Amino acid sequence: MPEGFPAMEWIDAATAAERLGVKPATLYAYVSRGVLRRRHGDDGRRSLFSAEEVERLARRGRPRNRPPELVIESAVTALGVDRPYYRGRDVLELAATSGFETVAAWLWTAGPALPHQRPAPAGSPAGSGGHGEESAAPSGGAVWRCEPQALRAAVAAQQGLPEDLLPLDRLQVIATVLGASDPLRHQLDPASVSDTGRRLIAGLVDAMPQLSEPQGESIAQRLWSRLCPAPPAPGLLHALQAALVLLADHELAASTLAARVAASARADPYAVVLTGLGVLGGPLHGGASYGAERLLAEVAEPRQAARAITDRLRRGERVPGFGHSVYTNGDGRGGALLDLVKEAAPEHERIAAGQAVLAEMRRRRLPERNIDFSLAILAAVSGMVSGAGEAIFAVARAAGWLAHAMEEYERGTLLRLRASYTGPPIT
């Protein structure tokens, strides 16, 4: 039994749900609200619940001390103790064995079966790809492409924008133009949405200003060339590829919930992704990586870590890149990504600065680092432009938003939340 759990009886989700008279999805809402505790079984995947807590809750009745939560049944992603599982597959395993394009296809269609080795190198036989062109791809399928005319329009739409505009702001402009130029955007069957997803993600990347020469045809290789003026070291490119996989989805995060609401209203895939992009930049979501970048920039040398943290705490601010509402004991995605960056550039001075920040946070017994902090270290070590972490997050998460949109298109009913009115009496 894992450390920290007292000796007690643990029951599976089906048994707990039957005793409480609720759907299994409601159990996980109870976990997120602190009503029930959950742990994973010996296989690392099966959720177990305290029989004593379930029985106590059954006798007391459903919890009413907080407003009811919206619970949406989904087959896309489950959240584990320290990591997500994409359609049952451990995301840390996927980040080590599969490319982003392969994992996106898995999220969208649950097939074909994911490999247990890294994708074949560029030059594998090509397939065909909906909106895109036929060409050799690292995953053995078609290279994801957006047609040149649409790309030219997306590039032209950015003329006149400030040169130092953050990449996330550019992505919103690009997504708008790509949607307006796609006559197939209202076809919402799974195959069409998958084709649209490949076109959209490729366009988001390729319409950004090019800073260096792409070293290959994968989304990770092309994205690097838009975020960094120097060619990639192999280890750091591998870390970027892993980051895209690790960030592709995270159940009903704020941006994903917004994207699902848009999809439930039959908004097209471009509008779904625009909705997600609008929410993602918030400092409590994907924008946290930008805050972590700024924190690291203040730590020119390790001894400055304490002051950078103290200043934020004195102002009553959160320390960006630390703490997680789901992974209270540490974000496994952040650990996996940080290990890859350290392996690729162990002597880099930005690694030392990051380690100093980590040590200072632990000395103060403050929350553990999450993937936003590791993403900021990747960007700093690689010499990427300001706001690169947000762009990586956004490109990756577009795959997840579209997977959830497909479920809403299939469900066919509008998600309608209700407010608990607290205003003046109605006269």
Side-chain angles (χ1 to χ4, degrees):
M1 183 174 294
E3 184 179 350
F5 287 97
M8 61 174 66
E9 182 182 358
W10 294 86
I11 57 178
D12 62 23
T15 304
E18 181 180 5
R19 177 66 184 95
L20 293 172
V22 300
K23 293 182 178 180
T26 305
L27 293 174
Y28 300 101
Y30 289 167
V31 171
S32 67
R33 292 159 58 183
V35 175
L36 287 178
R37 278 183 297 169
R38 176 185 65 161
R39 74 170 178 88
H40 281 267
D42 293 338
D43 59 5
R45 297 185 180 186
R46 204 163 50 110
S47 291
L48 299 176
F49 299 83
S50 164
E52 180 183 351
E53 290 181 353
V54 169
E55 183 63 27
R56 189 183 310 124
L57 180 58
R59 292 175 179 173
R60 189 173 71 235
R62 297 186 184 185
R64 302 181 182 275
N65 58 324
R66 300 184 187 182
E69 293 188 0
L70 175 68
V71 176
I72 299 173
E73 294 185 351
S74 173
V76 177
T77 296
L79 299 184
V81 174
D82 68 342
R83 69 195 66 179
Y85 293 79
Y86 297 166
R87 298 192 183 277
R89 291 291 297 272
D90 184 336
V91 73
L92 302 192
E93 174 191 326
L94 294 179
T97 60
S98 304
F100 171 68
E101 291 92 332
T102 303
V103 171
W106 175 253
L107 285 169
W108 295 340
T109 64
L114 287 169
H116 288 273
Q117 296 179 347
R118 291 206 63 77
S124 301
S128 60
H131 286 92
E133 307 170 358
E134 291 191 7
S135 182
S139 59
V143 172
W144 291 12
R145 294 291 187 198
C146 181
E147 64 276 10
Q149 184 177 357
L151 283 177
R152 286 194 294 268
V155 170
Q158 299 173 69
Q159 293 179 1
L161 295 176
E163 290 187 4
D164 60 351
L165 192 69
L166 292 177
L168 183 61
D169 296 323
R170 290 186 180 276
L171 292 176
Q172 296 185 57
V173 175
I174 294 168
T176 300
V177 175
L178 294 180
S181 67
D182 188 358
L184 304 179
R185 65 185 180 276
H186 298 299
Q187 294 183 206
L188 304 182
D189 60 281
S192 295
V193 175
S194 295
D195 284 350
T196 298
R198 290 188 284 271
R199 175 191 191 262
L200 171 54
I201 293 174
L204 289 174
V205 172
D206 291 342
M208 284 194 286
Q210 185 173 321
L211 304 179
S212 60
E213 192 65 29
Q215 301 298 299
E217 297 280 12
S218 73
I219 290 296
Q221 289 165 323
R222 286 145 61 192
L223 180 59
W224 181 286
S225 73
R226 268 63 183 179
L227 298 178
C228 189
L236 291 175
L237 180 61
H238 175 58
L240 174 59
Q241 178 78 269
L244 290 171
V245 172
L246 294 168
L247 289 163
D249 193 51
H250 203 247
E251 200 226 39
L252 290 185
S255 60
T256 305
L257 176 58
R260 285 195 76 126
V261 172
S264 78
R266 308 293 285 182
D268 67 71
Y270 298 91
V272 167
V273 169
L274 273 167
T275 301
L277 290 172
V279 177
L280 184 76
L284 300 184
H285 194 11
S289 66
Y290 179 57
E293 286 178 19
R294 295 173 64 186
L295 170 64
L296 279 173
E298 294 176 18
V299 185
E301 51 187 76
R303 63 184 178 85
Q304 295 175 330
R307 173 53 63 88
I309 293 171
T310 296
D311 288 347
R312 279 167 173 75
L313 296 177
R314 183 175 295 162
R315 295 193 297 265
E317 301 174 2
R318 294 177 51 156
V319 180
F322 289 84
H324 199 286
S325 60
V326 176
Y327 308 129
T328 55
N329 293 320
D331 182 349
R333 301 170 303 164
L337 181 57
L338 185 56
D339 286 345
L340 289 175
V341 178
K342 289 163 62 178
E343 181 181 343
E347 304 301 324
H348 199 283
E349 52 92 11
R350 293 291 80 196
I351 294 287
Q355 293 288 78
V357 173
L358 284 170
E360 184 64 21
M361 290 291 289
R362 288 167 180 163
R363 187 180 73 82
R364 299 173 187 236
R365 297 184 178 88
L366 292 173
E368 262 293 344
R369 54 95 190 95
N370 56 40
I371 194 168
D372 297 305
F373 184 73
S374 301
L375 198 56
I377 292 181
L378 169 62
V381 170
S382 303
M384 293 180 178
V385 298
S386 180
E390 287 182 321
I392 297 168
F393 203 134
V395 169
R397 191 57 55 88
W401 294 330
L402 293 176
H404 286 270
M406 289 180 189
E407 289 192 331
E408 289 302 324
Y409 294 150
E410 177 69 20
R411 206 166 66 105
T413 57
L414 183 67
L415 283 174
R416 176 66 165 86
L417 284 71
R418 295 298 306 273
S420 178
Y421 180 70
T422 60
I426 298 174
T427 58

